[in-house]
Amino acid sequence: MVSSNETMVTEFVLEGFSEHPSLRLLLIGCFLTLYTMAVLGNIVIIALVTSSTGLHSPMYFFLCNLATMDIFCISSVLPKALVGLISEENTISFKGCMAQLFFLLWSGSSELLLLTVMAYDRYMAICHPLHYSSRMSPHLCGALAMGVWSICALNASVHTGLMTRLSFCGPKVITHFFCEIPPLLLLSCSPTYVNTIMTLVADAFYGGINFILTLLSYGFIIASILCMHSAEGKRKAFSTCSSHLIVVCVFYSSVFCAYISPASSYSPERSKVTSVLYSVLSPTLNPLIYTLRNKDVKLALRRLLPAFSH
């Protein structure tokens, strides 16, 4: 409970990168470039998948979903961070902070689940090619995508709802460039036990179980590729999952750096750097990885570009 002489916080101040004023212009340029690249790149991926009949397959359907979540993820973080770099003081209302937290949790957890689903899709395509079309039917793919979006929206709602129940009576400076669970819990003047437990449960599910399932899928994929007698067959099989494997490595490594550490060792400075990796760099790199390393996507892009030139 908040005592009568305590004032409830109605807005927060995002510290951002204010402790590095000399890097302000460099960060504005970098973030603006990365944001433009990420949004345009993911829009191109969505346009290619929806307009090219050659990309109407489960793998590219899930890639389209991943591109959509990448746009949500970076858009929930970077515009506000850019405002903070341009202006003197970057404030955010309590409701705005909770909205940012919701969309970041929704998009981030959805990416982790989607990467697991995409790993299963590659497992079915390489390890059970004869049954792939029947098992990965459009109905199942649609149900999996809806399940990912719904489960992760519920997860984000639970964490955001638990955060709104906490009391914040000062200080109000968030040692981050966006609203995130760890720095917000440090500012609360009410017990955060339930929030901490639910955060650990979510971390175990999204960061632990999903990671293990993804590793299992790729364990079976690698074993299946090694059993192939044809060198061309091995090369072709590996090429179909190499892009996704790179994306998995980039995203999970940044998420683990950001979250898999004891609460007592939480470092705002380190958290900012690792958060840039998964919330900014990953959504920017994903379209490039899938475009540069995928022949089908490059072919669809070559067909799309002349259509815009006429």
Side-chain angles (χ1 to χ4, degrees):
M1 293 297 290
V2 181
S3 61
S4 57
N5 65 339
E6 289 178 326
T7 305
M8 291 299 295
V9 171
T10 57
E11 68 175 16
F12 295 103
V13 176
L14 292 168
E15 183 185 74
F17 301 92
S18 57
E19 71 273 31
H20 301 293
S22 60
L23 298 177
R24 183 169 152 268
L25 290 177
L26 177 63
L27 288 171
I28 289 173
C30 288
F31 282 173
L32 194 58
T33 302
L34 290 171
Y35 184 62
T36 304
M37 287 176 60
V39 172
L40 290 179
N42 284 292
I43 287 174
V44 167
I45 291 290
I46 294 168
L48 287 175
V49 173
T50 52
S51 64
S52 305
T53 53
L55 300 182
H56 290 177
S57 66
M59 181 173 73
Y60 297 110
F61 169 73
F62 293 126
L63 176 59
C64 189
N65 279 266
L66 185 68
T68 304
M69 275 305 172
D70 275 338
I71 294 174
F72 281 166
C73 183
I74 197 168
S75 296
S76 67
V77 169
L78 220 46
K80 190 62 179 170
L82 283 166
V83 169
L85 286 166
I86 295 167
S87 62
E88 288 292 322
E89 189 177 81
N90 189 19
T91 59
I92 185 170
S93 67
F94 183 82
K95 289 183 178 178
C97 185
M98 293 302 105
Q100 188 181 59
L101 180 66
F102 172 83
F103 281 106
L104 183 68
L105 289 172
W106 186 30
S107 56
S109 56
S110 293
E111 288 209 34
L112 289 169
L113 268 188
L114 275 170
L115 290 175
T116 304
V117 171
M118 292 170 79
Y120 174 73
D121 171 73
R122 292 299 82 208
Y123 159 74
M124 288 301 304
I126 294 171
C127 299
H128 303 282
L130 298 178
H131 303 287
Y132 179 69
S133 298
S134 58
R135 291 191 182 180
M136 296 302 293
S137 64
H139 177 75
L140 176 63
C141 292
L144 286 171
M146 283 299 297
V148 167
W149 287 63
S150 302
I151 290 169
C152 296
L154 177 62
N155 171 65
S157 299
V158 168
H159 287 286
T160 307
L162 287 172
M163 193 64 71
T164 60
R165 292 170 62 88
L166 298 179
S167 298
F168 296 91
C169 37
K172 62 177 183 178
V173 178
I174 298 174
T175 55
H176 215 301
F177 63 96
F178 58 83
C179 292
E180 196 181 29
I181 290 176
L184 279 170
L185 293 183
L186 291 176
L187 296 181
S188 175
C189 53
S190 57
T192 59
Y193 178 76
V194 176
N195 299 69
T196 303
I197 292 297
M198 290 304 296
T199 301
L200 289 173
V201 170
D203 287 348
F205 174 69
Y206 288 102
I209 295 174
N210 275 286
F211 183 63
I212 291 169
L213 290 174
T214 303
L215 284 181
L216 281 174
S217 294
Y218 274 101
F220 285 119
I221 288 169
I222 292 169
S224 181
I225 291 174
L226 291 176
C227 289
M228 294 178 181
H229 299 294
S230 166
E232 177 63 22
K234 289 181 179 180
R235 188 198 62 79
K236 187 176 180 181
F238 183 74
S239 68
T240 64
C241 61
S242 59
S243 298
H244 179 253
L245 188 57
I246 293 170
V247 169
V248 166
C249 292
V250 170
F251 195 72
Y252 268 104
S253 58
S254 59
V255 168
F256 284 161
C257 286
Y259 291 107
I260 308 303
S261 63
S264 57
S265 65
Y266 174 76
S267 167
E269 198 66 28
R270 190 194 65 183
S271 182
K272 289 177 191 179
V273 175
T274 53
S275 295
V276 167
L277 294 177
Y278 77 82
S279 66
V280 178
L281 206 58
S282 186
T284 306
L285 290 177
N286 287 355
L288 293 174
I289 293 169
Y290 278 108
T291 304
L292 296 176
R293 296 188 59 85
N294 192 296
K295 290 192 295 185
D296 293 334
V297 174
K298 284 193 283 188
L299 181 62
L301 186 60
R302 289 195 199 100
R303 289 173 178 169
L304 185 67
L305 290 176
F308 282 104
S309 61
H310 292 298

